[in-house]
């Protein structure tokens, strides 16, 4: 809505600078850079994590569910927030169901894919990545039969949860009785003892080159870890010298680039590691 005005004024507005969606967005950028822009697909795999649930985040999610049906339908567009000039064409909505990943592990749907995937696609449109790029996120559940059963259980429970939340009276009951309220969240101890790890696998258009980006965090991803990411993003933004046409409603990757991953690696709480496969 405000992109054109912000761009004309040279104002940089950068959203999603916490756990949503710095690991995804900056991780994807590092994959693209490592493959010299010749990238066909990137898969984000959310691994083991420990952290609390924010009542504010839940309130935001329920706010989306209260939108008119036409707006909810519009949000289903995988390129909903992509810039029109660089809008891709090769991707579908986030992938559901059980799948075996390139890491040899089973995976199911990742709860934050609906946000993160669209942020990465906006970066792709602003940074002129290939329009055919496919980007998807999954939740790892492990190897072997245990991992397969975990992926099946995750897929079915997610589908049942979404179906339940689509029913207004049931949605209200779930929110009031079982979920944290606004202002509630994890304890200080959990914030400091949380952690997360995610892995992104990128592949070139000819399939001959692959890259792996590992993102690790030593704190609760949604609170203490997010505070670190937001703080470093703010410093990176304030200390950078923008180009004349750098304004707009931007993403971490399009506004801050690898300056953010460099700062985070130096600080040490959230780290990005790039390896050629």
């Amino acid at each position: 809505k405000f992109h054109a005005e912000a761009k004309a004024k040279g104002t940089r507005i950068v959203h999603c600078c916490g756990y949503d969606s710095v690991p995804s967005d900056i991780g994807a950028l590092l994959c693209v850079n490592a493959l010299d822009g010749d990238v066909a697909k990137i898969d984000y795999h959310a691994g083991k994590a420990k952290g609390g649930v924010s009542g504010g985040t839940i309130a935001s999610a329920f706010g989306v569910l209260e939108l008119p049906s036409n707006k909810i339908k519009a949000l289903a567009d995988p390129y909903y927030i992509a810039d029109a000039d660089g809008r891709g064409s090769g991707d579908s909505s986030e992938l559901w169901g059980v799948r075996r990943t390139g890491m040899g592990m089973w995976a199911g749907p990742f709860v934050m894919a609906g946000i993160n995937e669209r942020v990465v696609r906006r970066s792709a449109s602003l940074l002129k990545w290939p329009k055919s790029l496919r980007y998807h996120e999954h939740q790892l559940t492990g190897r072997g039969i245990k991992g397969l059963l975990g992926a099946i259980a995750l897929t079915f429970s997610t589908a049942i949860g979404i179906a339940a939340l689509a029913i207004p009276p049931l949605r209200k009951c779930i929110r009031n009785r079982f979920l944290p309220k606004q202002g509630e969240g994890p304890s200080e101890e959990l914030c400091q003892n949380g952690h997360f790890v995610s892995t992104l696998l990128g592949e070139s258009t000819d399939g001959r080159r692959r890259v792996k980006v590992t993102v690790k965090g030593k704190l609760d991803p949604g609170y203490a870890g997010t505070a670190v990411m937001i703080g470093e993003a703010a410093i990176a933004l304030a200390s950078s010298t923008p180009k004349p046409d750098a304004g707009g409603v931007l993403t971490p990757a399009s506004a801050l680039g690898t300056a953010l991953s460099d700062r985070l690696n130096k600080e040490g709480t959230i780290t990005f590691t790039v390896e050629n496969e």
Side-chain angles (χ1 to χ4, degrees), residues 9 12 32 45 128 136 173 213 240 252-253 260 264:
K9 294 180 178 178
R12 292 177 291 169
V32 173
H45 304 95
K128 308 305 181 186
H136 289 290
C173 178
V213 175
S240 65
L260 179 53
L264 288 168

Side-chain angles (χ1 to χ4, degrees), residues 154-167:
L154 176 60
T155 300
F156 274 99
S157 62
T158 301
I160 292 170
I162 291 174
L165 293 176
I167 303 171

Side-chain angles (χ1 to χ4, degrees), residues 95-166:
L95 298 178
W96 287 81
V98 176
R99 65 191 60 256
R100 190 174 179 86
T101 70
M103 300 172 63
M105 301 176 71
W106 292 97
F110 180 44
V111 67
M112 302 313 301
I115 296 173
N116 294 337
E117 290 185 3
R118 285 158 179 75
V119 171
V120 171
R121 292 185 190 117
R122 179 163 181 80
S123 291
S125 67
L126 293 170
L127 295 172
K128 308 305 181 186
W129 295 348
K131 291 186 177 182
S132 59
L133 171 66
R134 289 171 290 148
Y135 177 87
H136 289 290
E137 300 197 343
H138 321 282
Q139 175 67 58
L140 295 176
T141 56
R143 301 179 186 275
I145 187 65
K146 184 177 180 180
L148 173 58
L149 293 175
I152 294 172
L154 176 60
T155 300
F156 274 99
S157 62
T158 301
I160 292 170
I162 291 174
L165 293 176

Side-chain angles (χ1 to χ4, degrees), residues 8-260:
K9 294 180 178 178
T11 302
R12 292 177 291 169
I13 303 171
V14 190
H15 291 286
C16 300
C17 290
Y19 184 53
D20 307 324
S21 303
V22 165
S24 305
D25 203 37
I26 298 299
L29 172 67
L30 293 172
C31 284
V32 173
N33 287 353
L35 293 170
D36 302 314
D38 177 29
V39 58
K41 67 175 183 176
I42 300 172
D43 285 306
Y44 177 102
H45 304 95
K48 293 182 179 180
K50 178 183 177 182
V53 180
S54 164
T57 299
I58 290 172
S60 298
F62 274 79
V64 172
L65 294 172
E66 299 293 341
L67 290 172
S69 59
N70 63 320
K71 289 194 174 182
I72 293 178
K73 184 177 180 180
L75 287 171
D77 179 0
Y79 295 97
Y80 181 68
I81 62 172
D83 185 63
D85 291 339
R87 181 184 171 95
S89 59
D91 234 332
S92 60
S93 298
E94 54 272 9
L95 298 178
W96 287 81
V98 176
R99 65 191 60 256
R100 190 174 179 86
T101 70
M103 300 172 63
M105 301 176 71
W106 292 97
F110 180 44
V111 67
M112 302 313 301
I115 296 173
N116 294 337
E117 290 185 3
R118 285 158 179 75
V119 171
V120 171
R121 292 185 190 117
R122 179 163 181 80
S123 291
S125 67
L126 293 170
L127 295 172
K128 308 305 181 186
W129 295 348
K131 291 186 177 182
S132 59
L133 171 66
R134 289 171 290 148
Y135 177 87
H136 289 290
E137 300 197 343
H138 321 282
Q139 175 67 58
L140 295 176
T141 56
R143 301 179 186 275
I145 187 65
K146 184 177 180 180
L148 173 58
L149 293 175
I152 294 172
L154 176 60
T155 300
F156 274 99
S157 62
T158 301
I160 292 170
I162 291 174
L165 293 176
I167 303 171
L170 191 54
R171 180 168 67 238
K172 183 178 180 180
C173 178
I174 292 171
R175 181 177 182 180
N176 292 338
R177 294 193 178 188
F178 302 106
L179 299 175
K181 295 178 174 57
Q182 287 177 273
E184 296 180 349
S187 65
E188 178 66 21
E189 180 181 3
L190 182 56
C191 285
Q192 295 303 317
N193 293 311
H195 58 81
F196 74 90
V197 59
S198 298
T199 305
L200 295 93
L201 299 179
E203 184 176 300
S204 64
T205 52
D206 61 8
R208 296 180 180 179
R209 299 176 62 197
R210 294 179 176 83
V211 62
K212 179 171 77 172
V213 175
T214 304
V215 190
K216 293 183 178 181
K218 300 177 182 178
L219 300 170
D220 176 298
Y223 275 84
T226 283
V228 172
M229 287 183 262
I230 289 176
E232 293 297 342
I235 296 172
L237 184 65
S239 60
S240 65
T241 302
K243 297 178 181 179
D245 60 346
V249 177
L250 309 172
T251 60
S254 61
L256 308 172
T258 56
L260 179 53

